[in-house]
Amino acid sequence: MARFTRIDVAIQMKETGMVPVFYHSDIEICKKVLKACYQGGARVFEFTNRGDFAHEVFTALAKFAAKETPEMILGIGSVVDASTTSLYIQSGANFVVSPILNPDMAKVCNRRKIAWSPGCGSLSEISSAEELGAEVVKIFPGSQVGGPAFVKAVKGPSPWSSIMPTGGVAPTHENLKAWFDAGVHCVGMGSKLFVKNDAGEFDYDGLTKKVAETLAIIQKLKP
């Protein structure tokens, strides 16, 4: 059962402005990455459903988060169907993110009052997602659908839309300024955020620092 309401999710996405997006098959690495992001100030985290037995890793991570990072809102991403949505909700997902717009997923999430962010690539899809109950919609892949210019164009006729781009977001002032000037609700950020050392291993202290630096940039850019 979710520890945070769909309203909590939307508000925290807005307040922090960034959602780290991460997958690894090793639960111990996932725990360290989650903790590093938490220590850097992140309060929303998306684990992606991308590998075999990913739901088992997520279940263990959700239990870890509840104990070790109690203010972290942990959700699941890369989900494309209703049955997998149900599986992750049962495993403790506080929100569900998808690269596509699937109405069957909306029914499952709405029945349990779980936040749902479907992937959209047009204003028509965004409007359909909102009609189905999505508070925050994802645009994906962010750069390929038009980048910040797309968000700005959408916000003209649809100023009420809350948009989270994923794909093409980088932890730099220039990149983040373009997105937030366009009017995004928050941004999802993947590989460019997760710092590694010369040996190719995750640098957890470096990750904490990078998250803190990125959030500091975002706080200055938000209206």
Side-chain angles (χ1 to χ4, degrees), residues 10-18 185-186 215 218-219 222:
I11 290 174
Q12 193 58 255
M13 283 179 170
K14 179 72 171 178
E15 288 184 352
T16 56
M18 181 185 72
H185 185 81
C186 63
L215 291 176
I218 290 171
Q219 292 305 311
K222 291 196 317 179

Side-chain angles (χ1 to χ4, degrees), residues 65-83:
K67 183 178 180 180
E68 301 294 335
T69 59
E71 295 177 17
M72 182 68 91
I73 301 175
L74 178 64
I76 186 66
S78 298
V79 177
V80 298
D81 58 72
S83 58

Side-chain angles (χ1 to χ4, degrees), residues 101-172:
L101 174 59
N102 182 341
D104 291 337
M105 292 175 62
K107 293 178 182 179
V108 173
C109 289
N110 289 339
R111 185 172 290 116
R112 294 286 293 272
K113 301 183 76 172
I114 301 291
W116 168 68
S117 293
C120 301
S122 69
L123 182 51
S124 291
E125 286 188 336
I126 290 171
S127 181
S128 294
E130 290 170 337
E131 184 179 356
L132 290 167
E135 182 66 31
V136 179
V137 297
K138 170 180 176 174
I139 61 166
F140 178 81
S143 294
Q144 284 73 17
V145 301
F150 173 78
V151 176
K152 185 176 181 180
V154 166
K155 295 285 283 187
S158 185
W160 53 80
S161 293
S162 298
I163 297 172
M164 173 178 65
T166 303
V169 181
T172 67

Side-chain angles (χ1 to χ4, degrees), residues 2-223:
R3 296 192 298 118
F4 299 90
T5 69
R6 61 168 73 184
I7 298 171
D8 293 332
V9 175
I11 290 174
Q12 193 58 255
M13 283 179 170
K14 179 72 171 178
E15 288 184 352
T16 56
M18 181 185 72
V19 180
V21 179
F22 182 78
Y23 169 77
H24 201 284
S25 60
D26 188 326
I27 181 57
E28 296 306 319
I29 289 177
C30 292
K31 289 177 180 178
K32 292 175 183 177
V33 165
L34 183 75
K35 190 71 174 284
C37 289
Y38 188 74
Q39 291 174 335
R43 290 298 181 266
V44 186
F45 189 98
E46 177 188 329
F47 179 81
T48 56
N49 174 49
R50 291 187 178 172
D52 292 339
F53 308 109
H55 66 287
E56 295 182 2
V57 180
F58 179 84
T59 300
L61 190 62
K63 293 176 181 179
F64 173 84
K67 183 178 180 180
E68 301 294 335
T69 59
E71 295 177 17
M72 182 68 91
I73 301 175
L74 178 64
I76 186 66
S78 298
V79 177
V80 298
D81 58 72
S83 58
T84 307
T85 299
S86 298
L87 174 65
Y88 277 102
I89 290 175
Q90 186 66 24
S91 299
N94 295 283
F95 62 92
V96 179
V97 180
S98 177
I100 64 170
L101 174 59
N102 182 341
D104 291 337
M105 292 175 62
K107 293 178 182 179
V108 173
C109 289
N110 289 339
R111 185 172 290 116
R112 294 286 293 272
K113 301 183 76 172
I114 301 291
W116 168 68
S117 293
C120 301
S122 69
L123 182 51
S124 291
E125 286 188 336
I126 290 171
S127 181
S128 294
E130 290 170 337
E131 184 179 356
L132 290 167
E135 182 66 31
V136 179
V137 297
K138 170 180 176 174
I139 61 166
F140 178 81
S143 294
Q144 284 73 17
V145 301
F150 173 78
V151 176
K152 185 176 181 180
V154 166
K155 295 285 283 187
S158 185
W160 53 80
S161 293
S162 298
I163 297 172
M164 173 178 65
T166 303
V169 181
T172 67
H173 183 276
E174 180 181 14
N175 183 273
L176 291 168
K177 186 176 190 304
W179 286 111
F180 280 91
D181 282 353
V184 298
H185 185 81
C186 63
V187 295
M189 201 175 306
S191 59
K192 294 180 181 178
L193 182 68
F194 297 100
V195 182
K196 292 186 177 182
N197 58 28
D198 294 337
E201 300 170 337
F202 288 106
D203 178 354
Y204 302 109
D205 290 337
L207 174 56
T208 294
K209 182 179 179 182
K210 176 63 72 175
V211 169
E213 291 173 347
T214 303
L215 291 176
I217 293 171
I218 290 171
Q219 292 305 311
K220 292 179 181 178
L221 294 174
K222 291 196 317 179

